[in-house]
Amino acid sequence: MAEYIIRRTLQMIVVFFIFLVSSYLLFNAIPGNAFQNLLLNPDLPPDAYEKVLKTYGLDKPIMERVQLYVVNFFKGDFGYSYKYYPKTPIELIAERLPRTLMLFAIVNIVAFYTGFLVGKVLAWRRGSKSETWITVTSVFSYTVFYPWFALMMLWFFGYKMGWFPIGKFLYPEKWYDAPWDSDVIFVLMIKFTVIISVIQFMAYLLTRGIESLTQRRNIRFGSLIAIFIGSYLFWNTGDALTKKPYAADIAYHMILPVVVVTIVAFAGTALLTRTTMVEVIKEDYILTARAKGLSQKRIRDRHAARTALLPVVTSFIFTIVTIIDGSVLTETIFSWPGMGQLLLQSVLEEDIPVAMATFSFVGIFALIAHLVADISYSYLDPRIRIKSQG
Amino acid sequence: MGKEVLVVDKLNMHYETLDGPVAAVKDVSFVLNEGESFGLVGESGCGKTSVAMSLLQLQADNAKISSGSIKLEGKELVGMTENELRTVRWDGISIVFQGAMNAWNPVAKIGEQIREAIREHRPDNTKQENTQKIEELFNIVGLDNSIMDRYPHELSGGMKQRAIIALALSCDPKVVIADEPTTALDVVIQDQILKELKKVQNLLGLSLIYISHDIAVIAEMTDNMAVMYAGSVVEMGPTANIFNKPKHAYTRLLLESTPSVVGKRKKLRSLDGEPPSLINENKGCSFSPRCPEPSKECKNQELDMKLVEISKGHWADLCCVSCG
């Protein structure tokens, strides 16, 4: 296993190198550069443009620049943003990343969970009327033109009904005298979510060994209640109490995008789960499970859905990869200043260091996600074992 | 003989299909005594497995038990709700499926899958008690305890089948149905598994229903047997009686189609024609179109199918009694 991971990591470095060089060349293939608008300014002396180019090293030949960029990249130097000098790309990403992560982590978890749940119920009730209707709805939300759908929801719930804010991730007027940057709140919210998930996951793992099913269920339910009480106490004491109104403001702004993206994203998982599970239900071991006298729910969850999980998890891991680049549309529609908008802006303005840094981030993320997918196979399906050799 | 454990009386089951109802089980009656093994034999599609599935009521969704009764220790199973049936399954009647390869869930450990069955029916057991029980069972069927932590794909076919037998015994069921348990195995392993089953049966005093298309296996394994043809029982009685004095033409042909190790060499006989379609309600004897020597009344389909007792405990179909 360790050997496999090392081997894969070496491969990943090679792939990443190729990725880095080719994307740098592609960005430079765009005609013009970030500073050409200086030429339009009649107040500037004629040599100012050349000076700026020289400062940023844009006057060097392209091959030399690639070399410099790659070497500096692996040294950990990503240059400076052309647009927001003297900010570095890392600073820009650090500011934007929490916003995107918070939004899309929640969307992905909710979409995967509801999709899997809906999918397995659909497969289990195959042929019933409710199954037909839910399948048709899922196909609709799977195929709908997403920007149109998002705008319609925004128009209806934001404008017509006025239940949710239209765009932005906070009300600026509330934050004038805020003692914190919005990122502090975002990081706090992310930490909170991660800790809750870890606790819940640990509770699940620890109770797996308990033999009595009712006892197991009771303890899991108890842990859920404990988490609720714990989070109530957390947000009502000390430091978090003062941050609460700001966190609430962000959370309020998050509702609509989360709901809209979830509606679109859950359908893929639901339909995939349904298809896989319909096949699994025909298997002999489902009959064995029924003959054993297990309850319908247990057969559905522990036998049918568990075996159908592999392709679903694969597709889920690959959608995680698209969090950043897929967020371009969502963030533009909901005016959510996250990574997607940063990516779009930097590409449009030819702010190459920032665009390259965001792209590399997406690339690293994708490579790691694929590795995680491959490793998780062997846990999900014991028939797949990773060989050290070959 | 012990008391009656399972009484099946005039069981009728049909599958609803687009072409009309397919009568898969017609008026099947038999009695299983405690500690006895009962064989069901017949060609493919004659309704053996349909009988087994009806006993556990695990039939496909389009199957319906139209009439008859199944009594397990006096308790009527036909018409029970799903939840009541769940308590009967595995605890009352368990089954060794054909094709052990696919009867295990590929992503769960063998031990966990057995444990799950015990947990369902003995919710108060502790973990140690269940582990002990599984170790006991593995000991009986000749498996190593380490198999418990193995996944199904790590076992050979024979081991999987042994483990399936252990699974079937896990809740000390009153009746065990063995539905062609050796079909997917090679001959050597078949023999081992049969010996194992026989040993287990003697050891635990199991009431066993043994289903097979292989009449030789039935001869070796069972005390009483029934021969099925086209959904009906055509002959039923003590296994020794049927083998020595087969009454029904179909039984005779079935016996003559298997080579015998002892005795004179004989040419094996085969049966012409195909089994009848079960969709149309056949009047009279369903076997008469293929019967080599039907009587005149039988050929004209004047006789209804009905079992008559020809000697003590030995029943055969009325028309063939009249033929022979």
Side-chain angles (χ1 to χ4, degrees):
Chain A
M1 192 68 167
E3 198 184 318
Y4 175 80
I5 294 175
I6 292 169
R7 209 155 37 88
R8 278 295 297 267
T9 315
L10 291 178
Q11 283 174 4
M12 273 159 56
I13 292 172
V14 176
V15 173
F16 183 68
F17 176 76
I18 298 169
F19 168 82
L20 205 61
V21 172
S22 45
S23 28
Y24 192 82
L25 290 176
L26 276 174
F27 277 124
N28 278 285
I30 306 173
N33 61 48
F35 305 106
Q36 256 174 348
N37 55 353
L38 293 180
L39 291 173
L40 300 173
N41 191 340
D43 298 338
L44 284 175
D47 60 336
Y49 176 64
E50 257 89 68
K51 265 188 188 160
V52 170
L53 283 195
K54 214 173 158 65
T55 322
Y56 286 99
L58 283 170
D59 54 337
K60 294 196 176 98
I62 176 77
M63 285 334 262
E64 203 186 325
R65 272 191 284 150
V66 173
Q67 236 176 37
L68 274 175
Y69 185 80
V70 172
V71 169
N72 284 338
F73 187 93
F74 283 107
K75 278 186 195 161
D77 177 8
F78 307 100
Y80 293 96
S81 163
Y82 295 164
K83 195 76 189 171
Y84 303 100
Y85 185 87
K87 278 194 173 173
T88 62
I90 292 297
E91 281 168 0
L92 286 171
I93 290 178
E95 183 189 308
R96 302 291 187 106
L97 190 62
R99 303 173 189 164
T100 299
L101 269 190
M102 186 68 208
L103 182 64
F104 281 87
I106 289 187
V107 164
N108 267 283
I109 292 167
V110 173
F112 177 74
Y113 202 74
T114 46
F116 188 58
L117 208 73
V118 169
K120 69 187 185 190
V121 172
L122 284 183
W124 204 245
R125 295 193 183 163
R126 190 152 189 237
S128 70
K129 223 172 210 152
S130 57
E131 191 252 358
T132 316
W133 280 111
I134 298 173
T135 307
V136 169
T137 321
S138 305
V139 171
F140 169 78
S141 76
Y142 185 59
T143 50
V144 71
F145 183 56
Y146 168 62
W148 172 82
F149 180 69
L151 285 173
M152 292 314 278
M153 298 290 276
L154 203 56
W155 169 77
F156 186 74
F157 289 108
Y159 176 70
K160 210 66 177 153
M161 310 299 285
W163 292 347
F164 298 108
I166 305 173
K168 299 282 183 302
F169 69 113
L170 42 79
Y171 285 124
E173 55 270 31
K174 276 196 186 173
W175 289 71
Y176 282 143
D177 51 354
W180 300 283
D181 205 4
S182 64
D183 293 333
V184 179
I185 309 290
F186 266 114
V187 170
L188 179 73
M189 286 167 84
I190 289 176
K191 271 188 200 155
F192 175 74
T193 320
V194 168
I195 289 172
I196 281 189
S197 325
V198 168
I199 292 177
Q200 182 62 22
F201 189 66
M202 290 306 288
Y204 174 79
L205 277 190
L206 291 177
T207 50
R208 266 173 57 152
I210 296 174
E211 197 71 0
S212 156
L213 284 179
T214 42
Q215 208 180 344
R216 198 188 288 184
R217 197 179 315 129
N218 289 344
I219 291 180
R220 281 182 188 168
F221 190 64
S223 81
L224 205 63
I225 290 177
I227 284 176
F228 273 121
I229 296 173
S231 28
Y232 180 80
L233 290 178
F234 173 79
W235 286 110
N236 283 295
T237 46
D239 186 39
L241 179 62
T242 45
K243 288 178 180 166
K244 194 166 79 166
Y246 301 104
D249 187 35
I250 290 174
Y252 177 53
H253 280 79
M254 261 170 52
I255 296 174
L256 194 58
V258 165
V259 170
V260 170
V261 186
T262 304
I263 288 176
V264 175
F266 98 99
T269 312
L271 293 172
L272 183 65
T273 311
R274 175 181 170 276
T275 319
T276 331
M277 220 170 105
V278 162
E279 287 306 308
V280 171
I281 285 174
K282 293 180 201 149
E283 295 282 345
D284 282 351
Y285 53 82
I286 301 298
L287 188 67
T288 312
R290 282 182 63 204
K292 281 198 271 190
L294 304 182
S295 66
Q296 294 282 321
K297 188 171 170 293
R298 195 164 170 82
I299 300 170
R300 189 188 72 194
D301 293 351
R302 292 274 100 202
H303 289 272
R306 170 67 182 81
T307 326
L309 200 59
L310 186 68
V312 181
V313 166
T314 313
S315 92
F316 172 64
I317 288 175
F318 293 158
T319 39
I320 290 186
V321 174
T322 61
I323 283 187
I324 312 258
D325 45 345
S327 64
V328 172
L329 269 179
T330 314
E331 291 185 356
T332 312
I333 292 168
F334 289 100
S335 328
W336 190 273
M339 287 283 280
Q341 285 209 348
L342 184 67
L343 183 67
L344 188 66
Q345 261 174 32
S346 58
V347 172
L348 287 178
E349 291 164 351
E350 295 190 51
D351 192 349
I352 294 174
V354 177
M356 277 303 291
T358 346
F359 252 65
S360 328
F361 191 83
V362 175
I364 293 173
F365 206 55
L367 287 170
I368 292 176
H370 278 75
L371 180 65
V372 169
D374 284 350
I375 293 172
S376 69
Y377 285 165
S378 64
Y379 287 100
L380 288 173
D381 191 337
R383 284 169 296 184
I384 301 170
R385 282 273 170 253
I386 290 169
K387 275 190 203 151
S388 309
Q389 257 84 39
Chain B
M1 276 300 143
K3 61 180 170 52
E4 295 172 347
V5 183
L6 185 74
V7 183
V8 179
D9 189 32
K10 295 230 173 285
L11 184 69
N12 279 291
M13 196 264 267
H14 65 267
Y15 294 99
E16 311 268 4
T17 66
L18 291 177
D19 299 330
V22 174
V25 178
K26 287 184 246 173
D27 280 340
V28 169
S29 311
F30 62 87
V31 173
L32 179 69
N33 293 313
E34 197 171 13
E36 172 196 80
S37 73
F38 184 83
L40 268 179
V41 71
E43 62 195 1
S44 295
C46 73
K48 304 176 302 254
T49 302
S50 292
V51 170
M53 288 303 169
S54 306
L55 294 182
L56 279 162
Q57 303 202 22
L58 284 175
Q59 328 85 314
D61 292 338
N62 61 345
K64 286 223 160 56
I65 295 180
S66 40
S67 68
S69 92
I70 303 166
K71 280 205 175 82
L72 179 73
E73 293 192 317
K75 232 180 356 186
E76 179 62 55
L77 302 190
V78 176
M80 265 192 179
T81 63
E82 184 70 21
N83 276 342
E84 287 167 335
L85 277 169
R86 270 178 51 205
T87 61
V88 174
R89 288 177 190 154
W90 228 251
D91 199 21
I93 305 175
S94 74
I95 182 162
V96 177
F97 284 103
Q98 48 182 320
M101 314 295 148
N102 307 323
W104 292 104
N105 185 338
V107 300
K109 287 177 180 162
I110 299 279
E112 181 52 36
Q113 293 190 48
I114 300 178
R115 200 182 288 275
E116 185 183 46
I118 307 177
R119 202 157 48 201
E120 185 67 38
H121 297 285
R122 310 271 183 280
D124 300 328
N125 275 13
T126 62
K127 199 167 183 170
Q128 283 79 13
E129 278 171 347
N130 288 351
T131 313
Q132 213 177 351
K133 176 80 195 172
I134 298 171
E135 279 171 1
E136 241 169 66
L137 291 169
F138 277 1
N139 197 13
I140 292 175
V141 297
L143 282 176
D144 195 75
N145 284 343
S146 65
I147 301 293
M148 232 185 281
D149 292 321
R150 299 258 170 213
Y151 287 100
H153 68 279
E154 295 173 311
L155 307 185
S156 70
M159 283 156 103
K160 269 188 230 179
Q161 193 65 63
R162 281 164 197 265
I164 281 277
I165 296 172
L167 175 65
L169 300 174
S170 59
C171 296
D172 305 312
K174 289 158 193 114
V175 178
V176 175
I177 303 169
D179 184 3
E180 310 225 21
T182 57
T183 312
L185 303 171
D186 69 67
V187 187
V188 178
I189 309 290
Q190 271 190 24
D191 190 53
Q192 285 178 11
I193 295 292
L194 289 180
K195 286 211 176 93
E196 213 65 71
L197 258 178
K198 192 124 196 160
K199 191 183 94 190
V200 169
Q201 204 216 341
N202 291 335
L203 195 67
L204 305 177
L206 281 183
S207 317
L208 185 73
I209 296 178
Y210 197 95
I211 296 173
S212 178
H213 59 265
D214 188 346
I215 200 161
V217 172
I218 296 282
E220 196 180 325
M221 294 293 296
T222 61
D223 307 320
N224 289 300
M225 65 181 279
V227 181
M228 282 187 77
Y229 181 78
S232 326
V233 171
V234 291
E235 188 164 0
M236 182 166 72
T239 310
N241 269 12
I242 292 185
F243 271 80
N244 294 332
K245 291 186 217 114
K247 265 290 169 209
H248 195 279
Y250 181 67
T251 317
R252 272 203 298 274
L253 280 160
L254 206 58
L255 285 171
E256 282 169 19
S257 70
T258 351
S260 171
V261 184
V262 289
K264 250 192 358 196
R265 272 211 241 172
K266 275 185 289 184
K267 204 166 182 262
L268 294 183
R269 285 184 69 180
S270 66
L271 187 53
D272 296 329
E274 281 173 20
S277 156
L278 299 173
I279 289 185
N280 307 317
E281 195 61 52
N282 294 336
K283 260 193 77 100
C285 175
S286 51
F287 187 61
S288 70
R290 293 171 85 187
C291 187
E293 48 216 3
S295 71
K296 212 171 157 197
E297 301 137 287
C298 185
K299 204 164 190 174
N300 296 339
Q301 314 234 310
E302 285 160 10
L303 293 170
D304 276 339
M305 286 187 101
K306 193 181 166 205
L307 289 179
V308 289
E309 191 163 21
I310 41 179
S311 64
K312 195 180 171 334
H314 188 166
W315 300 67
D317 191 33
L318 170 70
C319 52
C320 269
V321 175
S322 70
C323 304

